[in-house]
Each structure stands twice: as C-alpha cells, then as structure tokens.
Amino acid sequence: MSIAALVAWLVTAVGGFYMLGTWMARGGASREGSSRLPVPVIFGHFLLAATGLVVWVVYLFADTGALAWTAFAILLPVALLGFVMFARWLAVTRTPAVRTTQGAPGAATPDTPAEHAFPVPVVLGHGLFAVVTLILVLLAALQA
C-alpha cells in the first residue's frame, strides 16, 4: 500500500510539474501575465505537496506511523488548494476563447489566462491520481 501511494504521488507530481511549467511559461507568475490562479495558491499547493512527498519517503524508510499521519495531514490542505484551483480553472475553460484580429478562433491573446493552456486530460489525470494518492496514504496510515 505504501509503495502504491508513492507511485500514485509521483504520477500526480509529474502532471503537476507539467501544469506548473506551462503556467509559468505562459506568464502566469509574472505581473504582466494573465492568470486567474493566485500565485500564493499555486506555489502553496506545490510546496505543501513536495513537503508531503518528502515526509512520505522518509516514512517509507523509517516506518514510523506518525510520519504517515503527518504526510496525510499535509495532503489535506494540498487537496483543498487543488480544489480551489480546479474550480477557478473550470471558469477559465468555460469562457469562450477570444478571437484575434486575424479571426482565428481559440488563439491566445494577451488577455487569455495562462491556465487556459492546460490540457484537459492532464488536469483530470492529475486530480484523479491526487484522489487515489490521498486514499492510499490514508489506508497506509491506518495500517501503520
């Protein structure tokens, strides 16, 4: 169970890194960039998730139940921040793309939020694996 949680966490992290890189490359973290995702929420989600992953790896080596529960406790605000970002992302994806002066539908403009470029399968996969990770960590903590 513990190793399955680690694998699910790593798969989740890969999707998260992809979205973070896309968001930053499109100017999400810059003042000039357009984003509906607050920078503190994005980086808080990332830093808490990374911290929880480190705690989980330490738990795998130390086999201390308190570390498993600590990792689970860290995952709770990570999930909350993730739900906040998902809700804000949904609002962005439901907004029709603005046409450029050339008339190409769906083309990015300076007003297009950076998170509009997130591929739907990556967002859904990240969320699905995050839920699986949370459940596996809880089950492993209960057994610890």
Side-chain angles (χ1 to χ4, degrees):
M1 192 78 58
S2 299
I3 298 300
L6 176 66
V7 170
W9 207 322
L10 291 172
V11 171
T12 304
V14 168
F17 275 125
Y18 176 81
M19 289 187 289
L20 179 63
T22 300
W23 183 77
M24 290 179 67
R26 298 204 179 242
S30 70
R31 289 195 183 272
E32 298 81 33
S34 173
S35 177
R36 295 201 178 118
L37 300 177
V39 173
V41 173
I42 292 269
F43 286 108
H45 179 77
F46 166 72
L47 291 173
L48 281 170
T51 301
L53 180 57
V54 169
V55 170
W56 190 253
V57 170
V58 172
Y59 158 71
L60 291 176
F61 287 105
D63 197 27
T64 304
L67 288 172
W69 284 108
T70 302
F72 178 73
I74 292 171
L75 276 178
L76 294 177
V78 171
L80 180 64
L81 292 172
F83 282 127
V84 167
M85 290 187 294
F86 180 70
R88 295 189 86 151
W89 174 80
L90 276 177
V92 168
T93 59
R94 290 181 173 208
T95 304
V98 179
R99 293 183 183 265
T100 63
T101 55
Q102 291 82 20
T109 66
D111 294 336
T112 303
E115 58 274 12
H116 194 274
F118 294 167
V120 173
V122 174
V123 173
L124 296 179
H126 179 73
L128 176 67
F129 275 98
V131 170
V132 168
T133 300
L134 188 67
I135 292 169
L136 290 174
V137 167
L138 174 61
L139 292 175
L142 287 170
Q143 291 178 354

